[in-house]
Amino acid sequence: MADSGVTDEPGTKDDVHRAKTEGKELSKEEKQRLRKEKKQQKKNKEKKDEKASHESEKKKNKEEKPVSAAAPASQPPTQPSTQKAPSAVPAPAPVPVPVSETPALADKPAKTKADLKAERRARQEAERASKQAATSKPKAPPNELQPVVKRLPEHVQVDNPGVLKKLAKKLERQQIPLRLDYGYKVSLFSHLHQYSRKAPLTQQLSIPSTVIHPAIVRLGLQYSQGIVAGSNARSVALLHAFKQVIRDYTTPPNEELSRDLVNKLKPYISFLSQCRPLSASMGNAIKYIKKEISNIPSQCKEEEAKRKLLSCIDCYIDEKIILAAKAIAKSSIEKISNGDVILVYGCSSLVNHILCEAFEKNIKFRVIVVDSRPRLEGREALRRLVQRGISCTYVLISAVSYILPEVSKVFLGAHALLANGYVMSRVGTSQIALVAKAFNVPVLVCCETYKFCERVQTDSFVSNELDDPDDLIVTRKGKTQLEHWQDVPSLGLLNLVYDVTPPDFVDLVITDLGMIPCTSVPVVLRVKNVDQ
Amino acid sequence: MELQAVLMAAGGGSRMTDLTYNTPKPMLPVGNKPLMWYPLNLLERVGFEEVIVITTKEVQKMMATDPKMKIDVKMKLDVVCIQEDGDMGTADALRHIQQKIKTDVLVVSCDLITDVALHEVVDLFRAHNATLAMLMSNAHEFTETVPGQKGKKKTAEQRDFVGVDQSGKRLLFMANEADLEDGLSIRKSIMRKHPRMHIKTGLVDAHLYCLKKAVVDFLADNKSISSIRGELVPYLVRKQFSKTTNSPKIKDDAENQNQKTNDSSTNHELLISSRDEPLLQLAQERSCWNDHRGDMSEAYHGGKLRCYVHIIDQGLCCRVNTLAAYIEANRLAPKLFEEPAVHPSAVISERCQMGSDSIIGALCQVADKTSIKRSTLGNSTTVKEKVKVTNSIIMHGVTIEEGCNIQGSVICSNAVIGRGADLKYCLVGNGQRIEPEVIVTT
C-alpha cells in the first residue's frame, strides 16, 4: 500500500505543485475529482488494518506535511484527520503520530503554522462541500420532481459579534466600507441592521469611485434615500445598472468572462446590500443573471457574450415584469365588477396598474386608499389613481375598521411570497388582511412569480428590515417632541418596513401563472426549479 | 471613471490688484501655503487621483518651483496653459479642454478654501441624476478692518438672488441684481410647480460645480457662453422649466447608438438620454417616490434637466477674491490643518513673545524682544528687535527693521520696513521700501 502510494505520488504531486504555483485555489473540477478519489480510497481502505495505515501515516507525515489542501489521491484516509490532530484534540489519532510529526516539522520549515492551518481549513471545507454536493446531487432523472437544496441566504445576525466580524472581513476584502448601525434598537429586533439616512455609505468612499462602478454607486444612493422604492422598481433599476456594468466590462487577460464577471458583481452586490438590504425580487434577479453569466460558453467572444447578456436582461424584464403585469391585470379584471369598492394599501405598482387597466375597460368602481405613517406612500398611489380619473377615498390605517363595511374587495400587493404561503409585504398589510377577514371581505394578493422566494417564516421578527428611526420624528405646530429621543435611555424608536400575512387571511393569489390559492406557492416554486 | 476634476487657476484676481500685480492669485500665500494648494488638497483628500489644472504659464513656472506644491500634492496634475490676456472666461476654458473631458466634470476654482464634505454635493448629483450640482455657503460678515479701505466697508452692491425649493436642495432661480432691471420676476410655470420657494441673498457661491458631460459638449457648440457662474449656471437653471425640455423624448435605438452627434436645436443637446432610457423610465414609474406632493405631476414634474445646490451653514467655506476675504482666509485657513504653527527651520529667539495663533514660515529669523500676535510670517522673513506685529500678514522675504510697530496690515513679498516705522492698517506692495520713522495710519 505504501508502495502504491509512492508510485502515485509524483503524478499527483505534480498536479498539486502546478496548482500551488498557479494559486492556492484548485479549479472546481480538480477539486471534485480529488474528492471522488478520496472517497473511493476511503471506502476501500476503511476495512484495512489501522496499524498499517499508521505506519504509512508516519511516512506520509514526514514527506507530505507541506502538501496543500487537495491531498494526493493515494493518501490513506485517516491521514487528514490525524494531520488535523496537532491543532485539535488528538483523541482519534494514535500517540506516536505527534511525535513523528515534530521531526517532520523540523525537516520541512517551508510551511508556517498559518499555512498549515489554512490548508487544513480548506480541506475541511472541501470535505464538507463534497458531502453537501453528494447529498444534493439529484440522483433521479430530471423529470422526477426532486427538491433541489439551494443555499439559502444567511440570516442577518447583527447581535452576534462573530457573524459581524465575518461580515466586516468580507467587506474589507472586497474593499467596501462597512456601514455603522445607528441609534438604540428595540431588543426584539436587535439582530437586524438599523442605518441612518443622514450617514450614507458614500461618505466613506472616494469620490470618483474606482472600486465600485459609478452606476452601482448611484443605485445604492437611490436605494438608501428611497428614490427608488418598491419591489419592481428596485429590480428594474438593479438590472439597468447591471446592464451598464456589463457594457463597461472588459475581460482581463487570462480570465474567462463567465467566471470573472460573476466575481466582479459580488462586491457590487455587497455594496448594494449595505445601502439597503436586498429584496426577494432583487435576489431572484441576481440569481438569474449569475446563472446566465456562468452559462456562457468559454469559446464565446466577449462582444457576443455581452450582447447575449444584455438581451437576456431585457428578456427577463419583459417577461417577468412587464408581461407578467399584463397577464395579472387581465386575470384581475375578471374579478372586478361594476359597483365594486376596492380597498388598496400603500403604493403597489402592480395594484395601481391593475386598477388603471380596469378603469380603461370602463368598469365602474371606486377605490379606497389606506395609508400609514411614516412612509405615507398612499399619497403617491392616490395621486396616480386620481390622475387617471378614478374616484378615490383616502384614509389612514387607524380608520380601516370604520371603512371596511363599505368595501367589497381588498387588493394587496406583495414584496415576496414565501414558501409556506405567507405573504411578505409592507408593514400594515397583515393588519388589513386580518380586519378584512373579520368582516368577511375577500382579500386578493397580486404578485408576479419572480417574487416567489424559498424562505420560510411565520412571524415578522426573524427577518425584516429596520428603516431610519428618525423618520418617525414629526414637527407639529412648531414642536418636535421626539427630537432628542436618543437622550432618553429607555426609549427606542422602531420603524419596521415589512410584515408577513398568514395564508388563512388571503383568499386568492393572482400571479402570471394564474389564480392560485396561497398554499399552492410551494408547488409553483417546485415547478419553477425543475424548469430551471 | 466617474468624475474628472478641473481646477480653474487662470483668474486674475481683479478685485485685489494690490496683492496680485506681482504675484498671480493662485500663488498668493495663505497661511504660508499657495492659495491653489487648498482646493487641490480638498480634491486629494476626497480621493481624486488626477486633476486638470487650467492656468497661465507664469503660474505653471511658479508651481514647478514651489516646494509645497511639489511635495505635498501627490495627485497627477495635468496643466493646461492659456493666454493671460483675461478674455477667456471659465466656460471658455472648459471649451478649450473639451477634448480631454470624457465623463462628468467637477469644476473647482483655485480660490476656494473649504472643509465641506464633498460627498454631499456629489451625492445630489448622483442620486437625482442632475445636470448641475453646486455648493453655496451662508456667508458671515468680515469683522476685521481691511487695510487700504477708507471708512466702513461698502455693502455688497451686487447681490445674488438664489431661489430654492422647500427641501432646500433644488435650485429654482438664480439671478444677479445687476441683471434684474425693475424687479425680480419669476415665471408662472415655476410657481405652478413649486409654489413654495425660498429666496436667499446672503449666500456665497463656492464656485464648485458638478456638470454632466453633456453640458461640456453643449458649451462646445454654444460659443456665446463665456463664464460658468455668470452665464452658464443661470441658463441651466432657467432651462429646467422651459417648455421644450419637459416633453420626454424617448429616443429609439438608432439614435441611441450615436450619442455624440448633437441635434441641431440647442434644447435637445442637454437632454442626451442614456441608452436605456425606457428602463430608467420604467423604474421611475414603478417607484413609489415623488420629490414633491400636492399636485398631479410625477417625480421631478417630468423634467429631465435638474439643478441642485447644497448650502452649508457651518464649517469653513471662503472664496479668496477680495482683500477682506484674503485676510479672513489667512486667519481661518491654518485651523483646517494640524500643522505646527512654527516651521521647524525658523530661528526664533527665546525672548520673543509669540501668540498661539501666529504662523511662522520656513527660514524665518525673529530676534529678541519682539511680539507677534495673530499674524502670519512668510518664508525667509527677517524680524529684528523690538518689533511689534499684531494682526498682520507678512509675506515672503520681508525685512522688518528694529522698533517697528505693524498693526492690521498686509506687507507683500520682499518689502523692507525701515527702523521705527509705525504702520496701522496699511497695505504695503511688493518690494516697497518704507523709510524709517514713518507713521502710516488710515
Side-chain angles (χ1 to χ4, degrees):
Chain A
M1 183 178 57
D3 292 322
S4 64
V6 167
T7 45
D8 271 358
E9 272 165 32
T12 43
K13 250 192 176 166
D14 281 350
D15 268 337
V16 170
H17 181 70
R18 198 187 346 115
K20 269 200 290 177
T21 48
E22 283 173 15
K24 279 246 152 116
E25 294 276 313
L26 294 181
S27 67
K28 243 193 202 168
E29 293 88 47
E30 288 180 56
K31 265 195 189 157
Q32 277 199 338
R33 174 174 59 83
L34 291 161
R35 260 182 249 136
K36 278 195 191 140
E37 288 171 342
K38 243 197 332 193
K39 265 206 172 54
Q40 284 292 328
Q41 299 295 330
K42 248 189 184 168
K43 281 191 193 148
N44 295 341
K45 286 168 188 180
E46 260 178 57
K47 300 161 189 170
K48 297 221 174 151
D49 221 0
E50 278 208 340
K51 275 191 193 156
S53 69
H54 293 331
E55 274 181 23
S56 64
E57 258 170 32
K58 282 192 209 162
K59 248 199 201 170
K60 293 279 163 39
N61 283 340
K62 284 196 187 151
E63 291 166 349
E64 295 187 11
K65 211 49 177 71
V67 167
S68 72
S74 54
Q75 261 186 2
T78 48
Q79 184 176 10
S81 54
T82 50
Q83 283 206 337
K84 294 174 208 161
S87 63
V89 177
V95 172
V97 174
V99 175
S100 69
E101 277 181 350
T102 37
L105 277 169
D107 284 346
K108 300 277 165 99
K111 291 275 172 175
T112 60
K113 249 190 181 168
D115 288 328
L116 286 170
K117 263 194 183 165
E119 287 167 16
R120 255 178 257 129
R121 216 179 297 128
R123 215 178 312 121
Q124 277 174 346
E125 279 179 20
E127 284 183 350
R128 213 179 297 136
S130 69
K131 277 191 202 146
Q132 254 194 354
T135 52
S136 67
K137 258 184 224 154
K139 298 201 182 88
N143 53 9
E144 209 179 307
L145 296 177
Q146 282 283 333
V148 179
V149 172
K150 294 226 175 102
R151 214 172 65 83
L152 296 176
E154 288 144 12
H155 283 296
V156 177
Q157 279 176 287
V158 176
D159 52 356
N160 184 342
V163 174
L164 269 186
K165 247 200 297 187
K166 252 205 284 186
L167 174 68
K169 250 196 267 181
K170 175 176 127 187
L171 290 176
E172 210 184 331
R173 206 180 40 222
Q174 295 173 334
Q175 292 176 290
I176 292 175
L178 174 71
R179 199 170 181 193
L180 294 170
D181 281 1
Y182 165 78
Y184 170 73
K185 278 192 267 191
V186 173
S187 58
L188 270 174
F189 294 94
S190 57
H191 63 286
L192 299 169
H193 285 290
Q194 181 171 279
Y195 301 126
S196 166
R197 201 160 293 136
K198 292 200 210 81
L201 204 48
T202 48
Q203 232 171 348
Q204 303 163 43
L205 286 177
S206 68
I207 292 263
S209 69
T210 40
V211 174
I212 305 175
H213 191 274
I216 303 277
V217 176
R218 171 174 301 157
L219 188 65
L221 260 179
Q222 287 177 332
Y223 282 164
S224 63
Q225 291 182 4
I227 296 175
V228 175
S231 198
N232 281 335
R234 282 165 74 183
S235 310
V236 172
L238 174 74
L239 291 170
H240 166 80
F242 275 177
K243 272 179 97 169
Q244 287 183 291
V245 169
I246 290 175
R247 266 202 210 100
D248 293 337
Y249 172 76
T250 48
T251 324
N254 304 331
E255 293 280 355
E256 272 191 41
L257 183 133
S258 57
R259 250 174 261 137
D260 187 60
L261 187 52
V262 177
N263 288 338
K264 274 256 158 49
L265 290 180
K266 281 197 189 135
Y268 300 162
I269 295 168
S270 306
F271 172 76
L272 289 176
S273 66
Q274 286 279 92
C275 290
R276 194 177 160 191
L278 297 182
S279 66
S281 55
M282 284 166 71
N284 286 342
I286 290 173
K287 259 191 246 172
Y288 172 78
I289 289 204
K290 281 192 177 166
K291 196 173 73 94
E292 287 298 313
I293 295 177
S294 335
N295 284 348
I296 292 204
S298 44
Q299 61 266 28
C300 198
K301 272 193 281 223
E302 187 178 316
E303 282 310 311
E304 201 190 311
K306 285 209 258 189
R307 215 170 344 131
K308 191 159 161 288
L309 284 175
L310 294 175
S311 73
C312 275
I313 292 181
D314 281 329
C315 189
Y316 185 82
I317 295 179
D318 268 335
E319 268 176 43
K320 308 276 182 181
I321 301 180
I322 302 178
L323 288 178
K326 282 207 188 108
I328 294 178
K330 214 163 84 143
S331 333
S332 317
I333 286 172
E334 299 164 21
K335 294 288 179 188
I336 304 178
S337 37
N338 278 325
D340 260 348
V341 179
I342 299 179
L343 187 129
V344 299
Y345 176 64
C347 183
S348 164
S349 55
L350 188 53
V351 173
N352 292 343
H353 182 251
I354 293 172
L355 293 176
C356 295
E357 290 288 307
F359 192 71
E360 300 285 315
K361 296 250 181 345
N362 292 324
I363 306 179
K364 306 271 180 294
F365 62 93
R366 70 183 177 92
V367 175
I368 300 182
V369 178
V370 178
D371 202 8
S372 71
R373 274 197 71 227
R375 286 186 169 232
L376 292 170
E377 285 170 341
R379 295 185 298 191
E380 183 58 22
L382 186 67
R383 177 191 76 78
R384 288 178 197 198
L385 295 174
V386 172
Q387 197 184 26
R388 290 301 191 102
I390 304 175
S391 53
C392 300
T393 310
Y394 177 88
V395 290
L396 287 181
I397 195 168
S398 34
V400 80
S401 55
Y402 163 76
I403 202 103
L404 220 63
E406 295 180 19
V407 175
S408 59
K409 296 190 177 69
V410 177
F411 270 78
L412 298 173
H415 171 256
L417 236 58
L418 305 176
N420 56 350
Y422 278 65
V423 178
M424 184 181 216
S425 185
R426 187 67 82 218
V427 65
T429 314
S430 63
Q431 192 179 345
I432 300 220
L434 169 68
V435 179
K437 185 80 180 170
F439 278 87
N440 271 327
V441 174
V443 174
L444 294 89
V445 170
C446 309
C447 181
E448 299 97 333
T449 47
Y450 87 109
K451 288 185 191 159
F452 284 23
C453 153
E454 276 117 16
R455 214 165 48 202
V456 169
Q457 56 183 94
T458 51
D459 59 61
S460 317
F461 297 92
V462 68
S463 167
N464 209 324
E465 186 186 329
L466 291 178
D467 209 355
D468 189 352
D470 290 339
D471 283 349
L472 293 175
I473 302 177
V474 70
T475 307
R476 291 202 179 99
K477 293 189 188 162
K479 278 207 273 209
T480 316
Q481 304 283 17
L482 284 173
E483 200 170 359
H484 304 287
W485 69 275
Q486 307 238 33
D487 301 334
V488 183
S490 51
L491 179 63
L493 293 188
L494 180 65
N495 189 356
L496 278 182
V497 182
Y498 298 116
D499 71 4
V500 284
T501 311
D504 329 329
F505 297 154
V506 177
D507 293 305
L508 196 63
V509 176
I510 308 180
T511 69
D512 40 323
L513 292 178
M515 299 197 249
I516 57 175
C518 225
T519 43
S520 305
V521 170
V523 178
V524 172
L525 278 174
R526 221 169 9 153
V527 169
K528 220 168 43 131
N529 287 339
V530 167
D531 279 344
Q532 288 173 358
Chain B
M1 223 202 325
E2 191 186 356
L3 273 182
Q4 273 178 287
V6 175
L7 181 72
M8 298 281 184
S14 48
R15 275 183 275 183
M16 35 191 219
T17 45
D18 302 322
L19 291 174
T20 55
Y21 75 85
N22 220 345
T23 324
K25 186 171 88 161
M27 297 306 287
L28 275 180
V30 173
N32 286 340
K33 300 190 200 29
L35 183 55
M36 66 192 289
W37 182 85
Y38 287 91
L40 285 176
N41 181 266
L42 173 72
L43 292 172
E44 191 173 345
R45 261 186 293 135
V46 150
F48 276 95
E49 281 164 24
E50 281 187 20
V51 182
I52 303 176
V53 181
I54 303 182
T55 180
T56 57
K57 284 212 167 44
E58 197 186 334
V59 176
Q60 189 185 22
K61 262 188 267 166
M62 287 182 77
M63 265 169 65
T65 55
D66 189 296
K68 205 77 192 170
M69 299 287 289
K70 272 199 299 201
I71 301 171
D72 274 3
V73 178
K74 296 194 181 53
M75 303 183 287
K76 184 164 98 79
L77 298 177
D78 181 6
V79 183
V80 173
C81 290
I82 59 170
Q83 293 302 324
E84 211 182 294
D85 43 20
D87 272 359
M88 219 180 193
T90 40
D92 296 325
L94 260 191
R95 200 177 300 126
H96 184 74
I97 55 166
Q98 194 225 349
Q99 299 302 322
K100 291 190 191 249
I101 306 282
K102 308 263 181 297
T103 163
D104 302 335
V105 280
L106 174 67
V107 179
V108 191
S109 168
C110 65
D111 53 9
L112 174 68
I113 299 183
T114 180
D115 62 350
V116 73
L118 210 53
H119 74 91
E120 309 243 5
V121 181
V122 182
D123 279 352
L124 278 177
F125 183 68
R126 288 167 175 152
H128 298 278
N129 213 1
T131 314
L132 162 75
M134 54 190 285
L135 175 69
M136 288 190 144
S137 125
N138 262 324
H140 38 258
E141 297 293 312
F142 297 133
T143 49
E144 305 285 322
T145 324
V146 177
Q149 264 189 3
K150 298 201 172 78
K152 20 179 218 215
K153 317 183 280 292
K154 303 176 243 183
T155 51
E157 70 273 278
Q158 307 246 298
R159 286 179 297 177
D160 270 326
F161 292 96
V162 178
V164 293
D165 76 340
Q166 250 181 307
S167 67
K169 299 276 175 200
R170 179 93 189 260
L171 197 50
L172 302 175
F173 180 79
M174 177 171 293
N176 192 290
E177 197 169 345
D179 297 329
L180 304 168
E181 289 109 41
D182 322 332
L184 200 106
S185 55
I186 300 185
R187 278 154 66 174
K188 250 200 225 166
S189 58
I190 306 181
M191 291 311 293
R192 235 179 273 129
K193 291 182 185 159
H194 300 269
R196 281 193 155 199
M197 194 192 308
H198 297 263
I199 301 194
K200 305 183 188 236
T201 51
L203 296 180
V204 167
D205 184 349
H207 269 227
L208 192 145
Y209 307 106
C210 284
L211 295 167
K212 267 221 158 75
K213 179 169 183 308
V215 177
V216 181
D217 297 336
F218 165 76
L219 274 183
D221 287 336
N222 288 43
K223 302 210 192 300
S224 57
I225 298 184
S226 72
S227 155
I228 296 184
R229 175 65 180 86
E231 290 164 45
L232 182 62
V233 171
Y235 176 79
L236 288 176
V237 173
R238 266 200 319 271
K239 262 273 165 292
Q240 285 178 103
F241 302 105
S242 81
K243 286 210 179 70
T244 39
T245 58
N246 279 342
S247 49
K249 296 245 183 259
I250 301 178
K251 298 192 177 170
D252 57 312
D253 278 2
E255 284 182 69
N256 284 341
Q257 296 306 322
N258 21 346
Q259 273 185 27
K260 295 215 176 97
T261 57
N262 292 328
D263 290 356
S264 49
S265 68
T266 54
N267 291 334
H268 297 313
E269 281 165 5
L270 289 171
L271 300 177
I272 289 188
S273 43
S274 66
R275 279 204 199 107
D276 293 306
E277 187 66 24
L279 265 191
L280 269 182
Q281 275 289 102
L282 180 66
Q284 204 176 325
E285 252 175 66
R286 295 304 180 104
S287 169
C288 53
W289 177 83
N290 206 324
D291 65 329
H292 65 279
R293 60 183 182 90
D295 65 356
M296 282 297 187
S297 45
E298 50 184 358
Y300 307 126
H301 300 278
K304 303 273 177 208
L305 216 173
R306 305 185 267 276
C307 299
Y308 283 86
V309 62
H310 176 68
I311 303 180
I312 54 177
D313 288 320
Q314 318 162 317
L316 171 65
C317 173
C318 92
R319 277 203 63 222
V320 180
N321 51 3
T322 60
L323 191 51
Y326 178 72
I327 296 175
E328 177 90 0
N330 257 299
R331 262 193 324 110
L332 295 176
K335 299 204 177 89
L336 282 182
F337 306 104
E338 292 299 318
E339 286 186 8
V342 180
H343 197 275
S345 67
V347 174
I348 316 248
S349 72
E350 301 88 34
R351 303 245 297 267
C352 157
Q353 274 181 345
M354 226 188 51
S356 57
D357 38 8
S358 298
I359 311 242
I360 314 281
L363 301 172
C364 276
Q365 284 179 345
V366 181
D368 294 340
K369 297 208 200 113
T370 52
S371 150
I372 302 182
K373 293 201 166 65
R374 295 182 84 208
S375 303
T376 311
L377 257 64
N379 301 337
S380 312
T381 313
T382 313
V383 179
K384 300 258 165 67
E385 287 92 11
K386 297 212 197 88
V387 169
K388 218 168 112 178
V389 180
T390 320
N391 236 347
S392 304
I393 300 170
I394 320 273
M395 293 199 204
H396 310 303
V398 172
T399 311
I400 305 183
E401 306 283 345
E402 294 100 14
C404 286
N405 182 355
I406 301 178
Q407 201 177 337
S409 308
V410 177
I411 319 274
C412 292
S413 311
N414 303 319
V416 176
I417 314 290
R419 219 174 324 125
D422 187 355
L423 302 169
K424 282 198 178 64
Y425 304 111
C426 305
L427 174 57
V428 178
N430 234 326
Q432 291 292 325
R433 217 198 122 76
I434 306 283
E435 298 301 320
E437 309 295 336
V438 160
I439 300 178
V440 187
T441 52
T442 42

